[in-house]
Structures are given as structure tokens and as C-alpha cells.
Amino acid sequence: MPLRHATLRQLKIFDALANHGSVVRTAGALHLTPPAVSIQVKQLARSIGQPLIEQIGKQLHLTSHGRLVAAACRDIFNRIESLDQELAAEQGLERGTLSVAIITTASYVVPRLLGDFRAEHPGIAVAMHVGNREAILGRLEHNEDDLYILGQPPEDGRISARAFAPNLLIAVSYPGHALAGERSIGLERLAREPFLARELGSGTRLAVEDTFARAGLRPNTVMELGSNEAIKQSIAGHLGYSILSESTVRTELASGELVRLDVAGLPLKRQWYAAYPRNKILSPAATAFCGFLESRKPTAVG
Ligand code: PGA
């Protein structure tokens, strides 16, 4: 049976199965029974002439054909969502969902922007996924969202990225830290102090390690933590200092709970970017959000 006998319904079910990774969860999400999901996936595999999934132990995996079909499903359903928005726009309506994947640290900046955007475009719903740099790059690679917000887009000709706001990384400690109040602290002096690092895969960590490495130094990492919040609490608990995006510590600096260290060469001047695969056709909702970010851009951002 050739592929043209595959139905949109089968592709929809397979797309959900690829996302949920389990027949039972897929059935629950689509209000079907597990056998109904299995039958549709089997029929799709028969049309294609190849198995699409394999069960190893309790884990369900996509075969290489399954991965190709899953990627095509994402393109097809993105295009359908986009078409729905274009048809609505023809009637002067705005509708649809804007799916944005944002890097953890950007969650101190982007939700407010999305709030203002929604106030201007109430017909557009927003789905927001938060993850560290590695997780967001994984989503971008698989074309899972409309837009990706991150601090350092990969230097890859296949990615289009526009800067829309500054992102400064600063050194912060608790008041009473040995270096608090000192002027122009050298990086080699800072490197000796107990340092609290973000987890592997974090963009902040990558930028900080790179800064020390370029000076031939390594921070004295005493603890690794999986979030900016956990790091702030640990600094407040006198476990060490860290280098974080200024946006994450504004409240604590204002209240005096944390203090900024005056380090020569800091802040690291980075930017927030909205990125997407260069060959992607942006949905009307994503185009509207890019236009909104552009209109909010401070003039200093490139
Ligand atoms: P992170 O990324 O939240 O993964 O640390 C932030 C950044 O790249 O600036």
C-alpha cells in the first residue's frame, strides 16, 4: 500500500505517539483506546512498508523511518496551523497558537513581553516551553516550536537570529563576602573564591567558562546547581559567589539580599535573540511576535 493511502488522522496519531513516547499516554491525550492508537500506527506503517516503532524492554523507540515520518508530521502540522492563521487573517481575524521555547534565564524577561504581546493580540494563544541551552537547541533541531529565545544562537548558516534585548552577566555575592565593596577586582583574584556554577548544558555556564578560559583561568567551582533560583538561594546561604544574568537578580540586588561585585572585564555584554531555522516559513503569529520584539528593541541592541 503506497504512502498516499496514509490519512491525516494516522499522521496526527503518529505525531502524538512520537511526542508522548507511549501508546497509553497518546491514547489518553487523544481520547482514544490504546488498541485504536496501535491499529492506526500499524496501518500507517503498512502504507509506508516499514516499521515505524520498536519496543526495547518497556521503552518505545522510533525506527529510522519513524524518525523521518515524525519530522514530516511536524512540518505538516506546523503548516496546517499556519494555514489556519492565514485563513483567519484573510477574514481580518487573529487566531492560533504561538509556540515559543525559551532558555531558562530568559524566563525573567520573556513572559512580560509575551504578556504585552497578548494584550495587543488577544486572539493569539501562547505555549511556552522552558529549558536550558542544550534542551532549547534540541527543540530547534527538531523544529518543535515557532520561535526559540536564547542567549547565543549557534553559528550555523541554517539558523536565522535577531537580537532584541541586552543580557548582561554580572558577578554577585552576599553582603559581607570578602570581595564585596572592593573596586575593580581582577579575574584571577575572583577565580580563587568559591564559585557556584550552573549545570552542564547551560548557556550562562558556557559564557562564564569561556571568559575564565580566555584569561587562562578556571573558576574554583564548589557546587553545581540546576537553576538560577537555586544559585541565588545558595549565594544567600554564603556558599559562594556566581556570575548570572542581571535580569535574574534584580529583586535581590534592590533589596540588598545580594550585592554586585565590581570585577574588571564584567559585565559580559550578551544579547537575547529570537531564532528559528532559516528555511522555516513563520506563521502569522510568529511573524507578529518578531515584529513586536523589533518594535520594543532598545536602539543599542545590534
Ligand atoms: P541558560 O542560558 O539559561 O541555559 O544558562 C542563558 C544564556 O545563554 O544566556
Side-chain angles (χ1 to χ4, degrees), residues 103-105 132-133 151-152 167 198 201-205 270 272:
I103 205 154
T104 15
T105 302
N132 71 17
R133 178 179 162 81
Q152 192 187 329
N167 174 27
R198 278 285 304 275
S202 143
T204 306
R205 174 174 173 145
R270 306 180 78 224
W272 291 121

